[in-house]
């Protein structure tokens, strides 16, 4: 069982409190007061960052509300206005039409954006910390256990500079650092050996993403400039995302789609 599913397992076995819904509702109601209190008391850089975050949240909320209102609003339709005389019983009736929620072009763009992030392997088994890290004893008498050695394949950039061994907490072995990946193009049915530009997202943990750990299901960015891919506007495509489909630490190579 993954380390972060103890609460879910407890809920399945024993259920929740009878007043769980009420407690959740009250907690959400108090959240607005807590946010307001924090905004009033904070100052300096923390207040500046907090205001930027709140501004983005409010802008997104206004856009969502506007989209919902756009589907039900009414506006005068000039195309249906008749040139001739209108009967007396139709004078007080304004010729209106329901506005469409979104035009076909916007819908198409949203479909493309949603399809862009579909991955070959939607669900991946999470990797536990015990499997990912190995304890590394340090110190004069080998009694300090705060260092960890990563047991999976990692990626580090060209400009990577290792910390001093005395202060390095996560050790990435040189033998498990990979720079290339075998990427298969689904439409061309061809496999290319491409350079890895970076690790976009590791589904197991954000810590693994920051460390550049590559496991099954990880999204990596590869350099496709050599393939000669061009966008609709004529610009050369530099990098594309691919998902790892194998276990690199077992196979000795990275296979992606």
């Amino acid at each position: 069982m993954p380390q972060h599913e103890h609460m879910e397992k407890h809920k399945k076995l024993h259920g929740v409190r009878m007043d769980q819904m009420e407690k959740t509702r009250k907690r959400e109601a108090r959240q607005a007061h807590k946010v307001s209190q924090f905004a009033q008391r904070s100052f300096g850089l923390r207040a500046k960052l907090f205001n930027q975050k709140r501004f983005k949240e409010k802008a997104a909320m206004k856009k969502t509300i506007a989209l919902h209102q756009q589907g039900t609003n009414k506006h005068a339709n000039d195309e249906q206005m008749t040139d001739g005389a209108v009967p007396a019983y139709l004078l007080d009736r304004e010729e209106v039409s329901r506005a469409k929620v979104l035009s076909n072009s916007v819908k198409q763009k949203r479909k493309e954006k949603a399809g862009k992030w579909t991955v070959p392997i939607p669900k991946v088994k999470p990797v536990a910390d015990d499997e990912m890290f190995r304890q590394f004893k340090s110190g004069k008498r080998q009694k300090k256990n705060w260092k960890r050695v990563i047991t999976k394949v990692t990626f580090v950039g060209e400009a990577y500079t290792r910390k001093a061994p005395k202060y390095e907490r996560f050790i990435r072995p040189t033998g498990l650092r990979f720079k290339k990946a075998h990427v298969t193009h689904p439409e061309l049915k061809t496999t290319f050996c491409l350079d890895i530009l970076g690790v976009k997202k590791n589904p197991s943990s954000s810590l693994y993403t920051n460390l550049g750990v590559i496991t099954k299901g990880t999204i990596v960015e590869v350099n496709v400039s050599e393939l000669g891919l061009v966008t609709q506007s004529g610009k050369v495509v530099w990098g594309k995302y691919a998902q790892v489909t194998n276990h690199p630490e077992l196979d000795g190579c990275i296979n992606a789609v």
Side-chain angles (χ1 to χ4, degrees):
M1 183 183 65
Q3 291 184 342
H4 57 280
E5 291 186 0
H6 293 292
M7 296 176 66
E8 286 77 2
K9 183 180 179 181
H10 187 274
K11 288 179 182 178
K12 289 179 181 178
L13 292 177
H14 308 288
V16 295
R17 293 167 55 108
M18 298 293 290
D19 59 344
Q20 174 70 17
M21 298 295 292
E22 186 68 14
K23 288 172 71 69
T24 305
R25 184 189 65 80
K26 289 183 177 180
R27 189 184 302 116
E28 292 176 354
R30 288 193 301 267
Q31 188 63 28
H33 297 282
K34 289 186 177 180
V35 171
S36 175
Q37 188 180 25
F38 180 81
Q40 293 176 14
R41 292 184 177 181
S42 60
F43 60 90
L45 182 61
R46 176 177 290 183
K48 185 176 180 181
L49 295 175
F50 178 76
N51 290 333
Q52 289 178 355
K53 179 183 174 184
R54 286 291 294 164
F55 179 79
K56 291 179 181 177
E57 291 177 356
K58 289 181 180 179
M61 189 186 304
K62 286 182 179 179
K63 286 183 181 179
T64 307
I65 293 174
L67 284 176
H68 285 295
Q69 290 179 349
Q70 193 177 358
T72 57
N73 68 345
K74 297 180 179 181
H75 64 278
N77 192 357
D78 298 333
E79 297 178 358
Q80 294 184 1
M81 296 292 289
T82 56
D83 297 334
V86 180
Y89 61 87
L90 290 179
L91 287 175
D92 58 341
R93 183 185 301 177
E94 184 184 3
E95 296 184 6
V96 297
S97 65
R98 295 276 178 182
K100 293 184 178 180
V101 179
L102 292 169
S103 64
N104 292 331
S105 61
V106 176
K107 285 184 179 179
Q108 187 65 25
K109 286 183 180 179
R110 287 196 172 181
K111 286 182 180 178
E112 291 175 0
K113 189 175 181 181
K116 188 193 298 185
W117 299 105
T118 55
V119 290
I121 307 175
K123 291 185 178 180
V124 183
K125 182 181 177 182
V127 182
D129 290 347
D130 296 338
E131 184 183 353
M132 177 67 66
F133 302 116
R134 176 172 57 85
Q135 283 190 2
F136 183 79
K137 293 185 178 181
S138 61
K140 186 176 180 180
R141 293 173 180 81
Q142 303 295 309
K143 289 193 174 183
K144 296 181 180 179
N145 292 324
W146 59 276
K147 291 189 178 183
R148 297 291 181 268
V149 178
I150 300 175
T151 60
K152 304 291 182 181
V153 170
T154 57
F155 168 78
V156 293
E158 294 289 340
Y160 170 72
T161 303
R162 183 183 173 188
K163 285 185 179 180
K166 184 178 180 181
Y167 305 107
E168 189 177 28
R169 172 163 167 73
F170 296 104
I171 302 171
R172 287 170 269 198
T174 311
L176 290 175
R177 296 181 190 176
F178 284 30
K179 294 184 178 180
K180 290 184 176 289
H182 303 293
V183 182
T184 302
H185 198 288
E187 297 178 359
L188 300 177
K189 306 291 184 182
T190 314
T191 303
F192 305 95
C193 185
L194 304 175
D195 294 329
I196 300 175
L197 297 177
V199 177
K200 178 66 177 176
K201 184 173 179 60
N202 191 312
S204 298
S205 171
S206 59
L207 173 64
Y208 302 162
T209 305
N210 297 333
L211 292 174
V213 179
I214 300 176
T215 56
K216 185 175 182 180
T218 303
I219 306 297
V220 295
E221 188 176 7
V222 292
N223 186 0
V224 296
S225 59
E226 299 176 357
L227 305 183
L229 300 178
V230 183
T231 60
Q232 294 179 353
S233 59
K235 295 181 180 179
V236 178
V237 179
W238 178 261
K240 270 189 170 295
Y241 295 130
Q243 187 181 30
V244 179
T245 57
N246 70 325
H247 296 282
E249 68 277 2
L250 301 178
D251 300 338
C253 64
I254 300 176
N255 298 334
V257 178

